[in-house]
Amino acid sequence: MPLDTESPPKNSFDRFFEITKRGSTLSREIRGGFVTFFTMAYIVVLNPLILAGGTDSTGAHLPLAALAAGTALVAGLMTILMGVVARFPLALAAGLGVNALVAYEIAPEMTWADAMGLVVIEGVLIAILVLTGLRTAVFKAVPTQLKTAIGVGIGLFLMIIGLVDAGFVHRIPDAANTTVPVELGLGGKLMTWPTFVFAIGLLFTLVLFVRKVKGAILIGILGTTVLAIIVEAIAGLGPAITNPHGWSLNVPKLPEQIIDTPDLSLIGEFNVLDSWSHAGVLVVIMFIFTLLVTDFFDTMGTMVAVGQEGELLDSEGMPPRTREILLVDSIAAAAGGAASVSSNTSYVESASGVGEGARTGVANLVTGVLFLLAMFFAPLVKIVPFEAASTALVVVGFLMITTVRQIDWSDYTIAIPAFLTVTLMPFTYSISNGIGAGIISYVVLKAATGKAREIHPLMYGIFVLFILYFARGPLEAWIL
């Protein structure tokens, strides 16, 4: 959707958020905000389950209710902050992957307060990199076509997330004894009601999308949720934990209560000093490095992908107000640690809202308010199952891979790094892994073909950083 530089803003609100200038409307922004929330709402349930599943060095667990309330609170506040400061349709919440690192690797070496203190330190370090201009400079140093590949890779990543979360694709428990690590449905068959609901919902959403129905993605999520509620009422499947044919996470049934009082007791329960003496300096530095690299490059990829989907990138592949986007993202990382809910980061699911029409920070206001309401209306959030929300991820994944034609596949020094970037993101379930493989291969291939002058000087530093990132396994084994 190209920029509209001729039509005057309708009012000061329009002028501030550039709604008309970016070719959007208030109704599109509201729809986009709702879609983004519904595709991200699972984090209010999933993040507490992951963090509460871990224990610290004293054997303590974090309370589930407090984690849920804190997760919703920080996601809501940081998403609104991104909307007001950066005015970009990029929502934030507790980062998956990072939360598992905190729960199962960092916390066992220290107390929960110490572990969350490291997250705060990491967020502050990234903020310093933003304020000094280094993080933006690194972003600019990455070649435009490699940025395009990042967006394409994230599109495929979104699709596989949607298929796996919906149960359409399953990990094979004994994958080591088979020729493939994943399978269609269960045992190679689509034999569960939740998968049936997802398939019908996806086809329904695709029909609406192809027929250019306004709000197609949002209508698809809501319609699929209604179907899921009906199926659950008839079949009584329950969660997949107790029934392999059940729902992936949220069971779609009307709750017994609608409003619940949030528990905010974990706010401020962090310590930035004691971890150094408890776990040792080298261990702490390695943990901070891993957190920093993951947050640093995941956000870069997500920012590119969302901007690319909304046609908001400039000729250098940069989104508007890049510095503000990165600064808010770093603040969110520290805020997540301060609230004991792990590092908060930009969510690639924001692309689903952009696919629905969102182009400005107004969509963030909607998404953020819905997260804040989720603290009180948590039972309602749990109505929407993965099988319904995942339909949006598959549709948006398709939209995002269409930019693959912008890559010059005849130039192997860019085509091969682009290929590695695109494929490794979904296959390793990591944005950072894809970016790292792309950058390492780009530097090596350019240098090996006598084109070292085409490499931005900062790329060599990123190259070394990713070598250390991929080598962190043996490094951690040596240090720990």
Side-chain angles (χ1 to χ4, degrees), residues 253-258 379-380 383:
K253 60 181 180 180
L254 297 178
E256 296 179 359
Q257 64 181 94
I258 296 177
L380 287 180
I383 289 177

Side-chain angles (χ1 to χ4, degrees), residues 1 42 211 249 324 330 361 389 406 414 446 456:
M1 190 176 297
Y42 68 85
R211 293 182 64 87
L249 181 64
E324 287 82 356
S330 61
Q406 298 175 12
I414 189 65
K446 285 292 186 182
H456 192 287

